Amino acid sequence: MTIDDGVRLFEAATKLFGVLVWPSVLVFVLIRFGPALRELVASLGEFSLRGAGFEASARRRKADAAEALTAAAVSGPKPGATPEAIGRDARAAFDIVAEVATPRVIRQAARSTVLWVDDNPGNNVHEQHALEALGVSFVLAKSTDEALEKLKRQSFDVIISDMDRPADPQAGYTLLDKLRASGDRTPFIIYSGSHAPEHRAEARRRGAVGCTNRPDELFEMVLSALERGVKPNRALAPIF
């Protein structure tokens, strides 16, 4: 089955199930769309690196990352979304893995640790699994104070934060401002419910890499920061 066959099957299934039956859609993606993603990953071409073991491992990592990121792109309620739009999101998620998960980035990912700050970490399991598939390690924190305590004991390659946490609707900015005021320049990404241009611009103005609510954009932002090899506490220009 080709990737286009997978997309057509996915779109047909969402029309059949209805866009509100999200568990069924997700199961369909993982069972039916997953093999097509793996097939396309396997056809991406030879890695120009020595060692067949690494090549096989890299391909498997990309396949697992593509499957998890596709699940992230289509899971959860999407009011008003059409099957065609969901299919495009699924394809975009795969395409970004194919584009940015280069052998160099996979090697860098395996040496990287990300701090993810979110009071509901269960909302991000697919996105986390997509990056873990490439070797990224995660430390989780549920509050700004917990994140700051962890940052006292350990440095991180990237920090991801949601925006709204209990008692602070702008907790993402609160944490970012505290870090920048202290001189910490660790690449910081806000993963929140808004994708509005004004929120993206404000995040960058405050010193973040960016702000997004799309799994594929989050994946690209994290790997772009890792590819640059930016060390914690060092200035980073916005990626986008």
Side-chain angles (χ1 to χ4, degrees):
M1 182 171 65
T2 67
I3 190 69
D4 290 330
D5 291 334
V7 171
R8 284 193 291 271
L9 281 171
F10 174 74
E11 292 176 349
T14 53
K15 290 177 182 178
L16 176 63
F17 292 141
V19 295
L20 296 180
V21 189
W22 293 105
S24 297
V25 172
L26 183 55
V27 167
F28 176 84
V29 169
L30 294 178
I31 294 176
R32 292 290 226 168
F33 197 53
L37 296 178
R38 291 177 183 277
E39 179 184 330
L40 187 55
V41 169
S43 69
L44 290 176
E46 298 296 321
F47 286 107
S48 57
L49 296 172
R50 295 179 180 178
F54 178 79
E55 178 182 330
S57 174
R59 289 190 177 197
R60 176 58 183 269
R61 286 177 181 273
K62 290 184 77 167
D64 289 345
E67 187 170 313
L69 198 63
T70 301
V74 303
S75 64
K78 301 179 184 296
T82 65
E84 290 77 12
I86 299 168
R88 287 194 298 270
D89 286 347
R91 181 58 186 260
F94 172 78
D95 285 346
I96 204 65
V97 176
E99 178 183 348
V100 304
T102 64
R104 176 187 172 188
V105 168
I106 292 173
R107 282 185 164 141
Q108 181 65 38
R111 301 191 295 267
S112 303
T113 303
V114 172
L115 174 64
W116 199 323
V117 189
D118 194 312
D119 57 312
N120 290 300
N123 293 340
N124 310 312
V125 291
H126 297 305
E127 294 92 331
Q128 182 179 334
H129 289 165
L131 289 162
E132 285 177 332
L134 300 185
V136 175
S137 297
F138 283 91
V139 172
L140 305 182
K142 292 186 176 183
S143 69
T144 298
D145 288 343
E146 183 182 359
L148 292 172
E149 283 300 315
K150 291 181 183 297
L151 283 158
K152 289 178 182 178
R153 301 191 296 268
Q154 181 179 355
S155 63
F156 297 92
D157 297 282
V158 175
I159 299 170
I160 304 170
S161 176
D162 63 346
M163 180 59 79
D164 184 2
R165 293 192 284 274
D168 187 354
Q170 292 195 320
Y173 288 157
T174 298
L175 176 58
L176 175 59
D177 290 347
K178 286 179 179 291
L179 293 178
R180 295 301 184 252
S182 71
D184 190 312
R185 294 290 180 255
T186 304
F188 194 102
I189 300 167
I190 295 175
Y191 190 52
S192 185
S194 175
H195 195 260
E198 60 268 27
H199 294 156
R200 295 160 72 93
E202 177 66 9
R204 293 175 195 155
R205 187 188 70 78
R206 290 174 179 260
V209 170
C211 171
T212 186
N213 61 359
R214 291 183 58 92
D216 55 330
E217 288 188 356
L218 174 69
F219 187 86
E220 183 176 20
M221 286 181 185
V222 172
L223 293 187
S224 294
L226 296 181
E227 186 177 21
R228 291 184 174 198
V230 177
K231 300 298 182 184
N233 300 321
R234 188 174 141 194
L236 174 74
I239 292 174
F240 295 99

